[in-house]
Amino acid sequence: GGEPFQIVDSRSQSYVNELGFLNGALKVELAADFEPSSDTALRVCFRTLRLVAFGVPLPAFNFPAGTERTWLLTYTDDEMRLVRAGVDGGRSTARELGLISEDEGQSADAYLFVLTRAPDAPPASDPISRFVNDRKRKQLKQRLLDACDGQDFGASSTDADADAIAAIVDELAPLNPTAAPARSPLLQGVWRVEWTTEAELLYLTKNGLPGIAGEAAYQAIRPVAVTTADATADTITNADTGTFNGADKAERTEAPQRLQLVNRVALERGNGLTVNSSCDPASDDSVNFRFSSCSATLYGLTFPLPPVGTGSLHLLY
């Protein structure tokens, strides 16, 4: 059977009765408007009836003038409405077509409706909404990567470039498909930095160190099961893919309580800077981090540096 909804807009004094089939792939929509006839009653006028197939509205049927109903508002609160309704002197297309008997629904209280408030968001099972959002996400992600391309990770971006990238981010963030991203296993893995506004990272990727140019920057997030000794020894083994030595020593886990964050700036000829941190979810969409160790590899020699700093990450998508 179909799934019925009634979407009421009190400001425009209109509503749509929607009957969905096949998880929303097919919908029958009846549009009407209304006006109060008393403190506890509305006079409703049917306007159009149409079929929507896979998101495409077909030509609408216009109801004859005078196709009306009375709603008696028996009970209303935040969660429930009880409505009695009937033709109450109006025309009935179903009766005129012989689909119901002549005396069916004539009185103002002939029918009874029990309605409960639906969630504000559209049903997640709606395949059209999923298709549209998936396609929009894909397009926005490609636009974002195209905008980041050739920007030297952000070091050569103009204010206009940065504003354009920020605008795409603002479009993409509301389409985030991952609930509680800070606690999701999708947070874990090796991530290549494509673009940033962080000054320290931009300085290193653009300028490198004397005689050693910067190549890339990566971020590895994984369960704390990988020891500090393992993490300190990690190096980028492939500057194109960002593969870490030991990156597979701990498998991705579902919503771990403690994570480890490894930031790596890759310099040419195998040189680089590695910073290890704790990484703890602070909320559904943010994590706190605290630097625990730092090391530099230069000209084949690895030596420790003092780690300094704490911070947080807010996950937009």
Side-chain angles (χ1 to χ4, degrees):
E3 188 174 17
F5 289 92
Q6 186 176 81
I7 302 98
V8 180
D9 186 343
S10 59
R11 289 172 298 181
S12 65
Q13 294 191 328
S14 65
Y15 75 90
V16 176
N17 282 340
E18 180 182 287
L19 185 61
F21 301 89
L22 302 176
N23 288 326
L26 297 177
K27 296 179 183 179
V28 179
E29 295 180 344
L30 185 152
D33 50 41
F34 59 84
E35 60 181 22
S37 56
S38 73
D39 287 345
T40 59
L42 302 174
R43 189 59 175 173
V44 174
C45 181
F46 291 177
R47 295 303 183 189
T48 61
L49 182 70
R50 70 178 180 181
L51 177 68
V52 179
F54 300 98
V56 179
L58 301 181
F61 165 77
N62 295 309
F63 285 100
T67 306
E68 299 178 359
R69 300 288 185 274
T70 291
W71 283 3
L72 303 177
L73 307 180
T74 305
Y75 180 90
T76 304
D77 67 17
D78 288 343
E79 299 176 337
M80 178 175 286
R81 287 170 55 222
L82 303 178
V83 178
R84 299 183 186 275
V87 175
D88 193 21
R91 295 182 63 174
S92 168
T93 302
R95 189 173 64 232
E96 292 172 5
L97 292 174
L99 301 178
I100 59 176
S101 65
E102 282 291 328
D103 58 353
E104 180 74 24
Q106 290 283 18
S107 66
D109 60 354
Y111 302 124
L112 174 62
F113 294 87
V114 178
L115 304 97
T116 57
R117 188 178 299 276
D120 291 337
S125 60
D126 184 344
I128 302 304
S129 297
R130 289 204 313 270
F131 173 79
V132 171
N133 287 339
D134 287 348
R135 183 170 183 177
K136 188 172 183 181
R137 276 192 289 266
K138 183 177 180 180
Q139 292 171 340
L140 286 172
K141 287 192 292 184
Q142 189 58 56
R143 280 178 52 198
L144 181 59
L145 291 176
D146 289 344
C148 294
D149 189 40
Q151 301 288 320
D152 295 325
F153 309 104
S156 62
S157 296
T158 64
D159 289 344
D161 293 329
D163 288 344
I165 289 172
I168 300 173
V169 168
D170 288 342
E171 283 189 76
L172 186 56
L175 297 175
N176 179 18
T178 306
R183 306 185 192 280
S184 169
L186 293 178
L187 177 65
Q188 301 169 44
V190 179
W191 301 90
R192 177 187 173 99
V193 177
E194 301 290 344
W195 190 88
T196 185
T197 57
E198 188 184 57
E200 295 90 341
L201 184 55
L202 290 178
Y203 178 86
L204 286 170
T205 53
K206 182 179 180 180
N207 301 301
L209 295 174
I212 307 174
E215 289 186 336
Y218 300 92
Q219 190 177 78
I221 300 176
R222 61 247 186 127
V224 79
V226 176
T227 67
T228 301
D230 290 333
T232 304
D234 282 345
T235 59
I236 297 289
T237 60
N238 186 316
D240 294 323
T241 63
T243 303
F244 276 78
N245 282 336
D248 58 351
K249 292 178 182 177
E251 296 180 355
R252 179 182 291 178
T253 63
E254 295 289 333
Q257 294 300 308
R258 298 294 302 274
L259 296 173
Q260 181 185 52
L261 169 65
V262 181
N263 286 315
R264 171 79 176 178
V265 178
L267 307 176
E268 63 180 1
R269 299 193 299 276
N271 297 293
L273 180 70
T274 302
V275 180
N276 301 295
S277 313
S278 62
C279 182
D280 302 315
S283 68
D284 284 348
D285 58 5
S286 66
V287 295
N288 293 332
F289 62 86
R290 179 183 296 275
F291 297 153
S292 58
S293 65
C294 180
S295 65
T297 300
L298 300 175
Y299 304 107
L301 299 176
T302 298
F303 51 92
L305 297 173
V308 177
T310 61
S312 64
L313 301 172
H314 180 64
L315 306 176
L316 300 176
Y317 184 92

